[in-house]
Amino acid sequence: MKKFFAATLALALSAALQSGLAVGTASGTAITNTGYLDLNDGVTTSTLTSNSVVVNVTQVYGITIGPDGTTAAPGQTPTLFPGQTGILTYDLTNTGNGTDTFNVAAATANATAQGANILGVYLDNTTTGTVGFYDAGDTLVTSVASLAADATRRLFVRYSLPAGTTGGSASGSAHQLNITGTSVGDTTKTDTNNVGQFTVGRVIDLTLTSTQTKTVTPNGTITFTDTLTNTGNTTLTAADITATVTAAATNGAGASITNNFTTTYTVNGTTGSDLEALINTAVGSGLVAGGTLTITVSVVAPSASNDRDQQALTILTYSPTAAGPTVQNNAPSSDTAQGQIVNTAVVTRGTGSVTKTQALCGSAVSACPTRTGASNAAISAKPGEYVVYYLEATNTGTGTLSNVRLRDVLPANFVVTHVGATTSVTGGTLKFSTDGTTWATTPAGLTLTGGTSTLYVGVENGGTATTIDTSDTFPAASTLRVRIAGYVYNGGTTPTTITLDNNGL
């Protein structure tokens, strides 16, 4: 009978201790056990029941957080780009045998990670949003309360990667965090080996400044200074940078013309005609994040170029490196703004124009029409009648002219009596001459004979005050107007003194 009782008790205890819990029977479970004696006293077969005994199961505490990880072997390694917020995902499980609360905290696990950029631990909301994935409905927590035995809750550690963080294989590209969990019921029960790592993605980006427009004279040289900057987060090699140049020449009306402009480049002190080769040489083994190259573009305008001819030089820099999603802005077709500028050299060349009009005055020079009343139409005049000539020189170009002389070859049978001139050139002094060499400030002393004399008028504003030469300039839109009045020769005595007369100009 004892042997039977012992076997029955052992089976009962074994069945009572078996459970699906990680550490067996749930806390608070009462294991009750009763013994029985079956017998026959010679008359009757009966069963006797012993008193019951009770085993009360006490609480056992435990916690696991996964995935595990160390600084040498992080449990998860998502890629994160500068300025983005990343997520490390963990599952916390109550491995004890009763309901427990667990305190949780996230901290940096290496020197690169920034504690100030840890946004906290978030508890997955299992009733709203996307269960199992971080979303706006998840709650910032410092503990997971009242978690039943064997139950699991998902946690997210959020981290904001600072802008400008170095990426690629360079030092500082790994930001490691760790989450720890501690049982409130038994603070000796912790899980601390849960290092996760954000691998900083390699961002390749370039900027090129700046778009400029400058003027240049024919056969002159103009320079543009541009700056190429590595605005990514990783060191670039020569293979990571491509430069293309497109040149287009047009005239003042915008029509295409033959491009006779000459362009050379200087990059960090080395000059040549192949911009990409110069950049590759300057970059060498590495242009660090934030590093710059100075590009000087020199443009020589053709000596035969016309006013407002121009060359638009489009420079595009980008990275041809292809490394999947860890590379941003790696193709000109998808990101031409990665480094594109236009340097435009516009030729400014003075362009002269001259017009001459005339009008009949009649018997007196005082009756001569003004310049606006004259025309280029033929007129008829009798001997002794006065005629007035108006000449106007204009710089219709955008550049400056120099050594400008308005010249009139006086016709035969014309007797000059009055000469005047005006100019729009600021600070300019009017000069008069009959040979283009000796100049006077007034026409009064000049000898002007129709058929043999030439009248020169110029504007002196530079160099020697007594002559007109290339030091005397005639800016764009400047005008010089001359008035010559006289009569048709009538056989009489001609005057010996010329009167300065600007009336009508």
Side-chain angles (χ1 to χ4, degrees), residues 78-372:
T79 297
L80 189 60
F81 288 102
Q84 292 182 338
T85 297
I87 304 293
L88 294 176
T89 302
Y90 294 94
D91 288 323
L92 184 154
T93 302
N94 179 359
T95 58
N97 66 347
T99 299
D100 196 3
T101 294
F102 301 92
N103 292 328
V104 293
T108 60
N110 69 351
T112 306
Q114 304 297 312
N117 294 94
I118 298 176
L119 303 180
V121 179
Y122 287 75
L123 180 64
D124 188 24
N125 189 325
T126 59
T127 60
T128 64
T130 304
V131 176
F133 298 90
Y134 174 79
D135 54 42
D138 297 334
T139 308
L140 178 65
V141 295
T142 56
S143 65
V144 178
S146 303
L147 185 62
D150 267 358
T152 299
R153 292 298 301 272
R154 177 151 289 186
L155 299 173
F156 307 104
V157 176
R158 299 182 66 222
Y159 181 72
S160 176
L161 188 64
T165 302
T166 301
S169 60
S171 174
S173 62
H175 289 234
Q176 294 182 338
L177 306 180
N178 190 31
I179 185 173
T180 60
T182 303
S183 165
V184 171
D186 182 354
T187 57
T188 66
K189 303 300 182 181
T190 63
D191 190 336
T192 60
N193 60 326
N194 308 295
V195 175
Q197 174 178 293
F198 291 108
T199 300
V200 181
R202 189 170 185 246
V203 180
I204 295 180
D205 202 2
L206 302 168
T207 59
L208 186 62
T209 58
S210 59
T211 289
Q212 305 170 65
T213 298
K214 294 185 177 182
T215 59
V216 60
T217 58
N219 208 36
T221 302
I222 192 68
T223 60
F224 303 87
T225 300
D226 304 313
T227 302
L228 177 66
T229 303
N230 176 1
T231 48
N233 72 339
T234 185
T235 297
L236 301 178
T237 66
D240 291 321
I241 303 175
T242 293
T244 62
V245 177
T246 304
T250 55
N251 61 20
S256 296
I257 59 174
T258 301
N259 188 4
N260 292 318
F261 290 79
T262 302
T263 304
T264 57
Y265 310 93
T266 301
V267 181
N268 284 15
T270 303
T271 301
S273 58
D274 188 333
L275 179 58
E276 182 171 2
L278 293 171
I279 290 176
N280 289 344
T281 299
V283 170
S285 60
L287 179 64
V288 298
T292 61
L293 296 179
T294 298
I295 302 172
T296 300
V297 182
S298 296
V299 179
V300 179
S303 58
S305 53
N306 296 314
D307 185 46
R308 294 185 296 153
D309 283 355
Q310 64 178 255
Q311 174 187 253
L313 196 71
T314 300
I315 303 176
L316 172 65
T317 57
Y318 63 95
S319 175
T321 304
T326 60
V327 176
Q328 297 177 345
N329 302 335
N330 65 326
S333 60
S334 63
D335 187 15
T336 54
Q338 189 178 14
Q340 178 173 300
I341 60 171
V342 180
N343 289 336
T344 304
V346 181
V347 174
T348 58
R349 185 168 193 160
T351 303
S353 70
V354 60
T355 59
K356 186 170 186 178
T357 56
Q358 63 181 355
L360 178 64
C361 307
S363 59
V365 71
S366 59
C368 290
T370 63
R371 180 183 61 86
T372 57

Side-chain angles (χ1 to χ4, degrees), residues 402-414:
S402 64
N403 198 19
V404 171
R405 303 149 178 252
L406 191 54
R407 175 166 51 94
D408 190 280
V409 179
L410 300 175
N413 299 311
F414 178 68

